């Protein structure tokens, strides 16, 4: 599935041992994918390979993180892997929806690759439908996390220090008490499947998700990526001189491909 | 989804509406139905030189031109193809909700078809006219079966396709844009000069041309 880019004749391919693998779920508002775009763009990560897979709708375009004429002509496809060895960070970006009936095969192949490359942990950025929240979830933070049992042992304490909220389980049959509680992530795409598979396969995975709705999801992406940053500290959040608060939003670099998300310019004849 | 100015922007690429369906375990009946549908949707590539049951050698190909969609297929019919210089060497048989192609090579321009032609004077030059719609779940199969029959060393592939101008993302309005116009995408291995500007972000290509 993973095809390395050939750079300098290194036939062994990139080494991800001990890395943190960051990836998105294709979910409501595409928030995970937008957040990943911010990470790749801000940290100026290098592409090290792609996934050759029949599970995603094909797409291709020129470099979405181009900053100048010179670097704008590298082709980019639907599933690519970027790396930043200095932070032991690998990032998978997914740019198109899943083909019907291909969720499970993709998850299986992905987790098998994750085990092969021996990365330390996987962090999945995702989102869930805001309208499906219950009364309690409507109050307080819209951000949640989940940890597989293996990762819980390692970082569960850190989540408590950060005062993060774990994703609540809901009744399997709403309205009927005494039913089992299950994990339910509506609008989360492959999130639940990937998480439950990781639990049973002993993979260290964290899910970070935000409740949101469709629309302009750029602010949601910033909120999610800042949430991630509280834990992984990918960029330094500088204290703003004017209002003395730590708001790292301005330090994330928006990629050039985010232009024109809401339609083209207007015809002058309209006015 | 309506934008600030009221125009409607299509918002695809979301979570997938049938995720709950995906998560449910398949019953044996479900599995059987799914297999039947997969079989029906299988892409079959038939090459003329394999009809006699000869060995499955890969086709030696130096240039492969693929025209996807009715406009691109019509372009080839009008300006390139003729019965003197080109011979039909292959056909793709497939079915999906939008179209069905058959194994006949005698087609009308209004039919849905996918044919392969070879230049008689240089049999390593191959041309494909694909006016049928190849569905998402068939694109990868099409790709593997077509390219799987070819020897790909030093192969140059050119893909011709069209998109509506209304889908083109640009700072100006598309109403004032002089159309039609050409844009290109190329791999870094393609070293020859390109005859038109490259496709700028945030524009992308999807489906079979992208595959």
């Amino acid at each position: 599935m993973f095809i390395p880019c050939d750079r300098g004749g290194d036939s062994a391919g990139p080494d991800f041992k001990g890395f943190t693998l960051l990836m998105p779920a294709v979910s409501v508002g595409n928030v995970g994918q937008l957040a990943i775009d911010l990470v790749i763009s801000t940290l100026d990560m290098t592409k090290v390979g792609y996934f050759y897979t029949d599970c995603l709708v094909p797409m291709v375009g020129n470099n979405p993180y181009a900053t100048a004429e010179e670097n704008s002509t590298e082709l980019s496809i639907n599933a690519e892997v970027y790396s930043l060895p200095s932070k032991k960070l690998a990032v998978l970006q997914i740019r198109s929806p899943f083909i019907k009936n291909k969720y499970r095969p993709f998850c299986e192949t992905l987790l098998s690759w994750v085990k092969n490359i021996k990365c330390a942990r996987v962090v999945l950025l995702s989102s869930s439908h805001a309208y499906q929240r219950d009364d309690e979830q409507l109050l307080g933070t819209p951000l949640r996390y989940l940890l597989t049992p293996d990762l819980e042992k390692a970082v569960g304490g850190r989540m408590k220090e950060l005062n993060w909220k774990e994703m609540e389980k809901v009744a399997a049959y709403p309205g009927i008490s005494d039913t089992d509680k299950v994990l339910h992530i509506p609008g989360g795409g492959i999130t639940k499947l990937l998480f439950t598979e990781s639990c049973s396969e002993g993979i260290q995975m964290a899910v970070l998700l935000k409740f949101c709705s469709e629309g302009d999801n750029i602010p949601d992406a910033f909120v999610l990526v800042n949430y991630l940053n509280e834990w992984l500290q990918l960029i330094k959040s500088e204290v703003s001189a004017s209002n003395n608060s730590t708001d790292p939003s301005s330090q994330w670099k928006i990629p050039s491909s985010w232009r024109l998300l809401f339609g083209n310019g207007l015809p002058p004849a309209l006015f | 989804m309506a934008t600030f100015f009221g125009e409607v922007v299509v918002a695809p690429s979301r979570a997938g509406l049938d995720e709950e369906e995906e998560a449910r375990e398949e019953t044996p009946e479900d599995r059987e139905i799914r297999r039947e549908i997969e079989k029906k949707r299988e892409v079959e590539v038939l090459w003329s030189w394999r009809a006699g049951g000869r060995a499955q050698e890969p086709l030696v190909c130096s240039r492969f031109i693929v025209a996807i969609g009715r406009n691109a297929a019509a372009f080839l019919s009008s300006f390139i193809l003729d019965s003197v210089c080109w011979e039909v060497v292959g056909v793709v048989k497939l079915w999906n909700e939008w179209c069905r192609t058959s194994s006949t090579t005698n087609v009308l321009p209004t039919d849905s078809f996918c044919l392969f032609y070879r230049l008689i004077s240089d049999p390593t030059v191959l041309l494909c006219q694909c006016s049928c719609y190849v569905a998402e779940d068939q694109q990868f199969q099409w790709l593997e079966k077509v390219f799987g029959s070819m020897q790909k060393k030093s192969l140059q592939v050119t893909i011709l396709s069209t998109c509506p101008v209304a889908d083109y993302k640009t700072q100006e309005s598309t109403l004032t844009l002089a159309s039609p116009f050409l844009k290109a995408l190329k791999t870094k291995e393609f070293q020859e000069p390109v005859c038109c500007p490259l496709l700028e972000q945030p524009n992308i290509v999807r489906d079979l041309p992208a595959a």
Side-chain angles (χ1 to χ4, degrees), chain B:
Chain B
M1 186 174 86
T3 67
F4 302 120
F5 300 104
E7 68 174 273
V8 175
V9 172
V10 173
S13 301
R14 300 306 187 187
L17 303 162
D18 51 5
E19 65 188 74
E20 290 300 326
E21 213 180 284
E22 295 263 5
R24 217 179 49 217
E25 288 297 323
E26 268 189 326
T27 64
E29 289 86 16
D30 289 337
R31 208 169 300 138
E32 188 56 39
I33 294 172
R34 186 169 57 79
R35 271 201 213 111
E36 284 298 308
I37 295 178
E38 273 175 12
K39 222 164 83 179
K40 199 170 174 197
R41 295 175 76 89
E42 226 173 73
V43 174
E44 220 185 318
V45 182
L46 304 161
W47 300 105
S48 58
W49 69 86
R50 293 207 182 145
R54 281 171 288 172
Q56 310 271 312
E57 311 135 7
L59 172 66
V60 175
C61 189
S62 63
R63 277 175 185 271
F64 184 29
I65 301 161
V66 190
I68 301 174
R70 287 200 187 276
N71 291 330
F75 168 78
L76 286 189
S77 295
S78 314
F79 295 103
I80 311 286
L81 285 171
D82 59 53
S83 50
V84 174
C85 305
W86 298 87
E87 54 171 354
V88 178
V89 291
V91 68
V92 169
K93 248 177 83 175
L94 61 83
W95 172 89
N96 56 52
E97 295 79 1
W98 292 269
C99 68
R100 173 199 299 278
T101 66
S102 65
S103 49
T104 175
T105 56
N106 204 8
V107 293
L108 295 171
T110 46
D111 292 338
S112 284
F113 57 87
C114 183
L115 294 171
F116 296 90
Y117 299 85
R118 185 165 59 181
L119 188 61
I120 295 173
S121 56
D122 179 359
T124 66
V125 176
L126 208 67
L127 202 140
C128 171
Q129 252 188 336
C130 186
S131 74
C132 65
Y133 176 66
V134 181
E136 279 174 4
D137 56 308
Q138 295 171 317
Q139 288 159 11
F140 193 83
Q141 247 196 85
W142 189 102
L143 188 72
E144 293 266 287
K145 290 192 177 173
V146 169
F147 281 85
S149 322
M150 293 181 194
Q151 180 220 278
K152 292 181 272 288
K153 204 163 163 203
S154 328
L155 170 63
Q156 189 188 84
V157 182
T158 307
I159 302 159
L160 306 172
S161 118
T162 54
C163 293
V165 173
D167 285 349
Y168 182 66
K169 295 197 176 34
T170 169
Q171 198 59 47
E172 330 152 8
S173 157
T174 48
L175 279 181
T176 51
L177 217 55
S179 68
F181 55 89
L182 281 179
K183 291 285 178 185
L185 283 173
K186 64 174 197 72
T187 61
K188 57 180 186 293
E189 284 81 5
F190 185 85
Q191 300 294 342
E192 291 171 36
V194 184
C195 58
C196 61
L198 294 180
L199 185 66
E200 326 78 17
Q201 277 282 351
N203 293 288
I204 57 167
V205 174
R206 50 163 65 93
D207 295 326
L208 192 61

Side-chain angles (χ1 to χ4, degrees), chain A residues 27-250:
Chain A
S27 56
V28 56
N30 301 106
V31 177
Q33 295 159 284
L34 291 172
I36 295 283
D37 258 357
L38 287 172
V39 172
I40 298 173
S41 170
T42 309
L43 299 178
D44 199 16
M45 297 180 77
T46 316
K47 191 186 325 189
V48 294
Y50 63 91
F51 281 6
Y52 183 65
T53 172
D54 62 342
C55 301
L56 296 163
V57 174
M59 59 73 47
V60 65
N62 275 323
N63 185 5
Y65 311 111
T67 48
E69 192 72 40
E70 297 79 47
N71 59 20
S72 65
T73 59
E74 194 182 333
L75 287 187
S76 218
I77 61 166
N78 55 12
E80 297 185 315
V81 181
Y82 297 76
S83 167
L84 189 63
S86 58
K87 287 198 192 288
K88 293 201 111 176
L89 183 68
V91 175
L92 164 66
Q93 176 61 303
I94 300 176
R95 300 194 172 96
S96 61
F98 284 95
I99 291 174
K100 197 170 162 62
N101 292 326
K102 294 291 188 179
Y103 276 42
R104 195 170 279 276
F106 182 82
C107 289
E108 285 168 0
T109 322
L110 176 72
L111 290 181
S112 152
W113 177 69
V114 161
K115 283 194 269 197
N116 263 357
I117 61 171
K118 298 189 175 46
C119 58
R121 59 195 175 182
V122 181
V123 179
L124 179 68
L125 299 185
S126 180
S127 52
S128 184
H129 285 307
Y131 66 78
Q132 293 255 18
R133 289 175 293 176
D134 62 28
D135 293 345
E136 282 180 33
Q137 289 171 323
L138 282 171
L139 307 167
T141 173
L143 295 159
R144 296 288 186 276
Y145 77 92
L146 279 167
L147 297 173
T148 56
D150 294 82
L151 192 55
E152 172 82 47
K153 295 179 202 133
V155 305
R158 181 77 186 115
M159 303 313 180
K160 299 240 173 348
E161 278 172 38
L162 289 167
N163 216 11
W164 279 10
K165 211 158 174 191
E166 195 173 358
M167 182 69 172
E168 305 89 336
K169 289 196 170 155
V170 296
Y173 301 100
I176 303 174
S177 54
D178 300 339
T179 63
D180 288 332
K181 294 263 187 190
V182 292
L183 193 59
H184 186 50
I185 309 177
I190 58 169
T191 306
K192 182 176 158 183
L193 183 59
L194 213 49
F195 181 72
T196 45
E197 291 293 298
S198 299
C199 287
S200 49
E201 307 240 355
I203 291 177
Q204 298 203 4
M205 175 181 283
V207 175
L208 268 54
L209 68 82
K210 182 179 190 298
F211 290 117
C212 69
S213 305
E214 300 280 358
D216 179 0
N217 300 106
I218 293 176
D220 299 309
F222 274 101
V223 169
L224 189 61
V225 82
N226 285 334
Y227 187 53
L228 172 73
N229 201 47
E230 280 177 36
W231 173 32
L232 292 187
Q233 294 290 300
L234 296 172
I235 62 167
K236 293 218 179 344
S237 18
E238 285 161 13
V239 178
S240 154
S242 53
N243 54 9
N244 214 25
S245 64
T246 38
D247 176 20
S249 291
S250 51

